[in-house]
Amino acid sequence: MGSVINQIDIPSFGSFSGLEWKKSVKDSGKTVQNFKRLNILYGRNYSGKTTLSRIFRSLETRKLPLNYAGSSFAMTGDKGAVTHTGLPTHNYDVRVYNRDFVTDNLSFLVNQEIGGVIKTFAIVGEQNKEIDDAIAAIEAKLGSVEGKAGLRFDLESKKKDRDTTKSAHTTASSGLEEKLRLHASDKIKKNRQYGTAVYNISHIKNDIASTKRPGFVALTTEEQAAKLTLLKQEALPDITGTLAVTLKLESLTATAEPLLSKTITPTKAIEELLKDSALQLWVKQGMGHHREKRDTCAFCRQDLPHDIWQVLDEHFSKESGDLETALDAAITSVTDEIATIAGLNTFTGTQFYADERTAFESRSKALSQALAVYKKDLEVLKKSLETRKNNLFQPVSLNAPWYNAKEIEKHVDDINALIIKSNGKTTTLEKDKTTARDALRLADVFAFVEAITYDKELGRIATLKTGADTASTACTDAEKVIREAEGEVQALRAKQKDERKGAERVNSLLNNFFGHDGIKLEARDDADKVTVKFEITRDGKAAYNLSEGECSLIAFCYFMARLEDPESKGKDLIIYIDDPISSLDGNHIFFMFSLIESLIAKPKKNPDGSNSYGYKQLFISTHNLDFLKYLKKLSLPPEKNHGGNQHFIIERNGGTSAISLMPSYLKEYITEFNYLFHQIYKCRDAEYVKISHEPFYSFGNNLRKFLEAFLFYKYPHHDNQNDGLERMKKFFGDDDMAVTLINRLNNELSHLESIFDRSMKPVEIPEIPKLANYVLDKIYEKDPHQYNSLVKSIGAPERVS
């Protein structure tokens, strides 16, 4: 069957508070009962009927009524649950007739001073074969998914194609993105050598773009190693001073050469000494030990000859003495120069940055080698000078030196240049490190891009995107064609719509009641000549001063006609009719019943002989027992395959409304008499107040009404004006309880019904069971058969005295 409401819980909505369906709507066997397909609800005025209808109408309007903010309810049904928060999106088609419907659509009936205009509506007019054929042709072209043909079916496969291609593109694209994201976060961001705390997918994409630029060359393994060394380098202190090498060999040679080549001869040569330079040196040294010191030779102990000093002085002339002094001075100068060479280069490799250190060390070594040659040349010069000194009278020749002054100068310049370069590096070190990091990172990215065949994958993704875009466009185009076709159908249907037909339909219903000369709804062109307005007329003139009964009839006929407008016709409707009877006479009541029966409830015969119903679910509520009797005669849907029917009662217990199953006597006999007896019977036990306050609150009124009916049938004729009081005296006699009872009924108990604050407790509730039992006992005493018959009708056990 589908689309029916089964149950409703109402935590808070108007007079309802804390209603839990499963707790309150149970049959005598304690089984929870649901709403059926047809539901009759009975409740006295102010019991909560209209409030319940408002909950259903909020499903129709898809919003809570005014002044009900903060209200809550939850319905369950075959098309899912609906709560106060899900009103905009539920799946039920509901149409409600209640006083809010009248206010919204027929404001003139509510306030007749505003002039007799009510809301227009259109219903489908006369069929036009050409339009029908055109609509049928478009519908055939549109086809359906279920029918596996037409534009709608094609669109379905285009949608599948769109979804498949989109999914393939998304999968490929997000797969590549994920690889990039992972590499960015796990391999680059976490690698401190690349020194970047923030590195994400957009950064790696920028780096990939950098590796694609012309001129990009990834680092070699050696270059990577060098860059990593640079990254480890800390800033070094500046190297102070420069290397200065002044070569003195040339000037030393210039001084030494005349000394070595100079020829001198002794004034009176001692032949032996000239022949033996060692002996000559020995003698020369010996002179210093003997002159003016001793008279004998220290070597042989012989006396020295008297002329020894003269002979020797003539051999060792002043010239040779001067030469010797000059040679000594020259030897000292050469020795000093030799000593200087060793300490010339005081710089060490550790003072330099890595790149310069290597260069410095090789230059330093080359300089040392060149200086070693220079030192040898110095040593040769020194040796020559010493040879001459040892044999003053023998000139010595000098070979050309081996050293290369230009080479030494170049090495010195190179080392000084390295000092400047290395010092300069301190200022650019951070920048160089950044450059090194970037180069290392780009080398990593380049290798990664190669490894995942990035370009090939991009090409594949681009192809998939083209496919997805093509499929999406095809889908959008197909949707547009369908929308246009559906628009054409709507435009054609609009030509069939006719607002005047709405007024005619209402009139045909009113006509059944008033006849041709009664009240009508007339469609008139509005001032703009485009729209139509409805006016209520009586005998062709605008009608005012409509009676309450006439207002009810017009409103209800209007509602019934509205069920045939294009928004409602042919839909699975849940129809809720709330108390259509206000103060109508019997004719009105029967007419209302006839409209509901013939237009909604009565099943239509299908071609195969089975029944179909004009509603998916129907709710009718009333406070009128006569109308309730008629509703018993409604065509009821069979239980088995059409969902059956159920009767409910809405009662107000203190301040709160409650829903329960209608007692069987009310459902079956529909007399107020049994109902009133049941209410009094409930009050015989004070404990019942814990289950329901209602009977106690209404006790006075119920008792008065019951006794009026009961005693009228008992004593139909009475002369006295105050016959109600006389009948009571006649029945109850004049004992103390009877007097109390009669006083109570004449005083406050009978006025309880008019107290709107139903939560106010009546005086002395404990007294009510006493009075109830007193009345019940009296009825049993006077007529046990009638008493047991009444008890039986309300499903209570019979009394045996």
Side-chain angles (χ1 to χ4, degrees):
M1 202 183 90
S3 74
V4 297
I5 300 293
N6 297 326
Q7 297 182 358
I8 180 167
D9 291 324
I10 316 174
S12 169
F13 199 106
S15 59
F16 286 94
S17 174
L19 172 73
E20 289 181 56
W21 184 275
K22 290 190 166 114
K23 287 188 180 171
S24 59
V25 188
K26 295 179 180 177
D27 62 15
S28 53
K30 302 286 182 235
T31 309
V32 175
Q33 298 297 306
N34 286 351
F35 284 130
K36 297 283 184 85
R37 188 166 191 173
L38 170 64
N39 303 280
I40 309 295
L41 300 101
Y42 171 71
R44 296 163 121 181
N45 284 333
Y46 309 110
S47 59
K49 294 188 306 302
T50 300
T51 304
L52 187 61
S53 75
R54 281 190 170 131
I55 295 178
F56 277 84
R57 193 155 195 267
S58 71
L59 268 67
E60 180 179 359
T61 62
R62 296 187 180 268
K63 60 179 192 289
L64 288 172
L66 281 170
N67 307 327
Y68 281 81
S71 298
S72 58
F73 67 84
M75 288 188 181
T76 55
D78 299 3
K79 280 196 178 176
V82 190
T83 69
H84 51 287
T85 56
L87 289 173
T89 54
H90 69 80
N91 300 310
Y92 297 93
D93 280 311
V94 183
R95 300 291 178 273
V96 177
Y97 175 81
N98 66 3
R99 69 176 79 140
D100 297 339
F101 169 85
V102 178
T103 309
D104 288 356
N105 294 281
L106 305 114
S107 48
F108 165 64
L109 298 180
V110 182
N111 177 7
Q112 293 187 29
E113 279 103 64
I114 60 170
V117 180
I118 64 179
K119 259 191 205 166
T120 56
F121 66 95
I123 63 175
V124 178
E126 291 300 310
Q127 297 299 301
N128 174 324
K129 188 160 185 346
E130 283 174 27
I131 292 178
D132 277 352
D133 291 347
I135 289 173
I138 297 170
E139 286 291 5
K141 188 174 77 174
L142 283 167
S144 70
V145 180
E146 300 76 35
K148 300 196 173 171
L151 296 174
R152 290 186 180 119
F153 178 66
D154 292 346
L155 173 62
E156 203 64 16
S157 71
K158 284 190 170 78
K159 276 183 179 168
K160 280 187 186 132
D161 191 30
R162 173 195 69 189
D163 294 346
T164 309
T165 54
K166 186 183 176 187
S167 169
H169 170 251
T170 308
T171 305
S173 178
S174 54
L176 181 60
E177 296 266 307
E178 192 52 30
K179 280 182 186 170
L180 295 182
R181 192 174 283 110
L182 271 174
H183 194 81
S185 68
D186 292 358
K187 295 286 182 293
I188 295 182
K189 188 179 171 185
K190 288 180 184 169
N191 187 338
R192 298 323 300 148
Q193 288 167 341
Y194 302 144
T196 172
V198 179
Y199 192 85
N200 56 32
I201 191 159
S202 57
H203 296 108
I204 200 170
K205 282 182 176 173
N206 289 340
D207 282 350
I208 291 171
S210 300
T211 65
K212 303 286 176 208
R213 290 200 185 106
F216 172 81
V217 182
L219 299 175
T220 63
T221 317
E222 293 77 14
E223 285 169 333
Q224 286 184 34
K227 298 282 183 209
L228 288 168
T229 309
L230 170 67
L231 290 181
K232 290 186 191 119
Q233 179 67 64
E234 293 301 324
L236 294 172
D238 271 4
I239 303 167
T240 51
T242 49
L243 180 60
V245 174
T246 315
L247 300 176
K248 296 183 180 164
L249 182 62
E250 217 171 305
S251 67
L252 290 171
T253 305
T255 308
E257 216 161 13
L259 301 178
L260 291 170
S261 57
K262 192 175 186 177
T263 311
I264 52 164
T265 48
T267 13
K268 263 206 179 151
I270 299 170
E271 206 59 41
E272 291 169 87
L273 296 181
L274 285 175
K275 284 177 186 159
D276 187 344
S277 61
L279 181 64
Q280 183 173 266
L281 183 60
W282 181 72
V283 170
K284 190 171 183 289
Q285 284 169 342
M287 285 169 75
H289 293 297
H290 289 75
R291 195 195 293 260
E292 292 173 2
K293 284 180 188 169
R294 47 191 310 150
D295 298 331
T296 55
C297 171
F299 180 69
C300 66
R301 302 271 189 265
Q302 295 281 337
D303 286 341
L304 295 173
H306 66 93
D307 61 349
I308 186 84
W309 302 118
Q310 189 187 344
V311 172
L312 288 172
D313 280 346
E314 283 175 357
H315 179 81
F316 294 107
S317 64
K318 184 176 184 313
E319 190 184 6
S320 71
D322 290 346
L323 175 62
E324 189 178 6
T325 306
L327 284 168
D328 274 339
I331 288 167
T332 303
S333 296
V334 172
T335 308
D336 287 349
E337 180 68 351
I338 289 169
T340 306
I341 290 165
L344 272 178
N345 182 7
T346 56
F347 299 108
T348 63
T350 54
Q351 291 174 278
F352 291 83
Y353 286 107
D355 288 352
E356 288 71 39
R357 182 179 307 155
T358 316
F360 165 76
E361 278 165 355
S362 79
R363 290 281 170 278
S364 187
K365 191 175 172 190
L367 176 61
S368 294
Q369 286 166 347
L371 287 173
V373 175
Y374 174 67
K375 186 181 174 188
K376 265 205 176 74
D377 287 341
L378 284 170
E379 282 165 347
V380 166
L381 178 60
K382 182 181 173 185
K383 201 160 179 45
S384 300
L385 289 165
E386 283 170 343
T387 304
R388 178 71 203 252
K389 186 186 165 191
N390 292 342
N391 195 348
L392 287 169
F393 305 107
Q394 187 68 47
V396 175
S397 63
L398 195 61
N399 292 329
W402 292 95
Y403 84 97
N404 183 338
K406 281 224 165 11
E407 187 195 339
I408 290 169
E409 190 185 348
K410 184 179 182 309
H411 292 328
V412 169
D413 289 348
D414 284 351
I415 286 170
N416 284 331
L418 286 171
I419 290 170
I420 292 164
K421 194 176 174 193
S422 189
N423 284 347
K425 273 227 168 148
T426 305
T427 52
T428 62
L429 180 64
E430 282 314 310
K431 199 162 147 237
D432 292 343
K433 281 188 180 182
T434 305
T435 310
R437 282 194 190 102
D438 289 346
L440 283 166
R441 194 180 69 250
L442 287 176
D444 179 305
V445 170
F446 180 77
F448 167 66
V449 162
E450 294 279 292
I452 64 166
T453 59
Y454 180 76
D455 293 337
K456 192 175 157 196
E457 191 60 12
L458 278 185
R460 187 172 81 88
I461 290 167
T463 309
L464 288 171
K465 176 150 179 35
T466 308
D469 289 347
T470 308
S472 178
T473 307
C475 198
T476 310
D477 293 347
E479 279 172 337
K480 190 173 172 232
V481 170
I482 289 173
R483 259 201 317 279
E484 284 166 358
E486 286 173 342
E488 278 179 64
V489 170
Q490 268 183 321
L492 289 167
R493 288 224 165 99
K495 287 182 184 172
Q496 289 184 321
K497 276 187 187 178
D498 187 347
E499 274 140 342
R500 284 176 172 73
K501 287 272 179 289
E504 282 172 28
R505 183 73 187 116
V506 177
N507 288 338
S508 74
L509 298 177
L510 288 172
N511 193 31
N512 288 337
F513 188 81
F514 289 110
H516 290 290
D517 54 355
I519 287 173
K520 282 187 182 163
L521 216 57
E522 293 207 23
R524 304 196 189 285
D525 287 326
D526 210 348
D528 59 11
K529 296 282 183 242
V530 181
T531 55
V532 168
K533 64 180 186 178
F534 287 175
E535 274 188 357
I536 301 172
T537 63
R538 182 187 266 125
D539 304 328
K541 297 186 192 77
Y544 291 95
N545 305 324
L546 296 166
S547 71
E548 199 181 333
E550 286 170 331
C551 288
S552 288
L553 284 167
I554 294 164
F556 195 65
C557 290
Y558 179 89
F559 173 75
M560 297 302 276
R562 278 292 289 265
L563 293 176
E564 294 176 48
D565 72 13
E567 278 70 48
S568 300
K569 200 168 174 65
K571 286 196 175 171
D572 289 350
L573 295 182
I574 295 173
I575 300 170
Y576 195 117
I577 298 167
D578 175 45
D579 224 352
I581 314 304
S582 52
S583 58
L584 304 181
D585 63 24
N587 291 341
H588 288 78
I589 292 171
F590 180 72
F591 178 61
M592 293 287 205
F593 161 75
S594 310
L595 282 181
I596 295 171
E597 168 63 15
S598 59
L599 297 180
I600 302 177
K602 199 172 184 183
K604 315 280 181 288
K605 280 276 178 240
N606 293 326
D608 64 358
S610 65
N611 283 346
S612 70
Y613 289 83
Y615 60 91
K616 274 294 167 192
Q617 194 172 22
L618 179 58
F619 294 83
I620 307 169
S621 68
T622 184
H623 74 288
N624 185 297
L625 286 162
D626 290 331
F627 189 52
L628 189 61
K629 278 180 198 161
Y630 279 123
L631 292 177
K632 235 182 118 173
K633 298 185 173 74
L634 276 180
S635 300
L636 303 176
E639 189 78 42
K640 191 174 169 209
N641 52 353
H642 288 289
N645 69 93
Q646 186 59 276
H647 289 63
F648 300 89
I649 187 162
I650 301 177
E651 292 176 292
R652 192 140 164 181
N653 186 5
T656 308
S657 298
I659 304 172
S660 51
L661 291 186
M662 192 183 283
S664 55
Y665 61 82
L666 197 53
K667 188 168 144 187
E668 283 151 23
Y669 312 123
I670 308 179
T671 78
E672 195 172 25
F673 187 62
N674 300 64
Y675 176 74
L676 293 168
F677 178 76
H678 193 195
Q679 297 303 305
I680 295 157
Y681 188 81
K682 285 175 183 171
C683 293
R684 73 195 195 289
D685 179 3
E687 286 299 301
Y688 190 78
V689 81
K690 293 176 183 169
I691 297 163
S692 170
H693 299 103
E694 177 68 19
F696 290 86
Y697 279 97
S698 310
F699 179 74
N701 221 19
N702 290 341
L703 183 56
R704 187 168 49 75
K705 279 188 177 174
F706 172 75
L707 290 176
E708 272 173 14
F710 177 71
L711 297 174
F712 179 79
Y713 287 109
K714 201 93 182 137
Y715 312 113
H717 175 70
H718 221 280
D719 299 327
N720 195 316
Q721 280 274 305
N722 195 359
D723 53 359
L725 199 58
E726 291 304 316
R727 286 191 183 101
M728 281 178 74
K729 284 179 178 166
K730 200 166 181 180
F731 185 74
F732 289 110
D734 53 2
D735 61 24
D736 291 348
M737 270 305 261
V739 176
T740 309
L741 173 70
I742 291 160
N743 285 340
R744 282 273 187 236
L745 291 182
N746 280 344
N747 297 320
E748 71 265 32
L749 280 175
S750 60
H751 300 306
L752 268 179
E753 190 73 351
S754 64
I755 297 170
F756 281 103
D757 180 10
R758 302 292 283 283
S759 61
M760 184 178 145
K761 286 199 171 183
V763 283
E764 302 153 71
I765 273 191
E767 273 197 29
I768 290 175
K770 285 186 200 163
L771 294 174
N773 280 307
Y774 175 72
V775 172
L776 295 170
D777 290 347
K778 278 288 180 199
I779 297 170
Y780 181 70
E781 182 190 310
K782 295 276 170 99
D783 192 341
H785 291 299
Q786 183 174 19
Y787 177 85
N788 278 332
S789 180
L790 280 167
V791 164
K792 207 169 169 185
S793 80
I794 63 166
E798 290 184 37
R799 184 165 171 181
V800 185
S801 56

